[in-house]
Amino acid sequence: MMVDPAQVGVVIVAAGRGTRVGGTLPKQWRSLGRRTVLAQTLRTFRKARAVGRIVLVLHPDDAGMGAGYAAHPDVTVAMGGADRPASVLAGLEALATLDPPQIVLIHDVARPLVDDALIGRVIAALLAPGAADGAAPALAVTDALWTGADSRVTGTRDRAGLYRAQTPQGFRFAAILAAHRVAAATGGDPADDDVAVARAAGLDVAIVAGDERNLKITTESDFAIAEGWLALRASGFGSTAAGADREEAWMDVRCGNGFDVHAFADRPASAVTLCGIAVPHDRALLGHSDADVGLHALTDAIYGALAEGDIGQHFPPSDQRWRGADSALFLEHAMERVVLRGFVVANMDTTLICERPKIGPHVPRMRANLARITAVAPDRISVKATTTERLGFAGRGEGIAAMATVMLVAP
Ligand code: MG
């Protein structure tokens, strides 16, 4: 389905007082999961790729609380009217003064569990060849229907052909705007939903499959049910929107490790470079670059946390550009990737493994140098050293090894 988002707008009606739920706060401002009902609903439409413009209709008393939303470039805030049809019309008129879309979805803020799939079904129904003027989601009634009075059943009704209406209800913009203008001018029923307004104006409306999860929060127990659906969606189970929501619901923490070894050369020297610091030693380390095992292990730990390969892939030893290179360059590149991927470094820990030279006296300068290169606070940077009790290549003084661990967090 090809949709130009610029041609699809949504009016989110959030001007009600929500008196049925109880409490003093209108239901759209109460919390659901980690955000308000309103923010939950708004977020779904802002994330919907098919929707380009959003008008949020608020009660005039809520203008202050809604001020922040007007800061989003894709959101326009309009003030609602005396009843629902008047609020919808205010939202439609706000869209009309912008660049009017071809299609508008009208959605009740109290249905915060609407998802991309349902939004897509409504839009698709409006774009289909020979489509109706409107398309709205609904569920066939499956429960038996009774009439009652004074806690007694007074009769039964045939449920065949009966539907429970949901939102978003979608329409050709010009047609529903005209229908609402006529209803406002002629005094329509304040209880009418947009399908009723559309039908009163002679528009035909197609029924698309609704979703049981797209419940309308009306009573206190609906909050508990909605919390349950949200938690289930966050767990990645049972929702077409699972992937995106799961990413957000879980704090993104990445751990990476790095390990490196460089051998001592047979030629005499005055120092080796470890964590960017010249440490006096009588033998040089062999390597294509400056052979800084500390920086190499640390850089690889960062690439590892990002799952972006290793230092050899980013800076091939076959490339003459990196001959004798300052390894700070590699660490800088890895840090650039951290920032571009939206992470921060929670901490980094590097262990240098050798018998000689003695590392301890140089650790404060190494930590300061790593802080300078990475812009990470020194108290999140650890450098330590160990020997291998004269065992193995490090114990025999054939080279120096380093291992590093890095923790990245997406705030
Ligand atoms: Mg190396």
Side-chain angles (χ1 to χ4, degrees), residues 260-262 296:
D260 195 32
V261 175
H262 280 262
H296 294 181

Side-chain angles (χ1 to χ4, degrees), residues 270-334:
S270 59
V272 292
T273 304
L274 296 170
C275 294
I277 300 298
V279 177
H281 193 55
D282 55 5
R283 290 165 74 197
L285 285 173
L286 278 172
H288 186 68
S289 63
D290 62 5
D292 190 328
V293 283
L295 288 188
H296 294 181
L298 184 55
T299 302
D300 262 352
I302 296 172
Y303 288 137
L306 294 171
E308 289 197 13
D310 59 35
I311 208 167
Q313 282 169 248
H314 293 282
F315 302 96
S318 56
D319 190 329
Q320 291 307 306
R321 276 183 298 171
W322 318 124
R323 176 174 287 280
D326 178 351
S327 295
L329 200 80
F330 310 151
L331 182 56
E332 276 165 12
H333 176 263

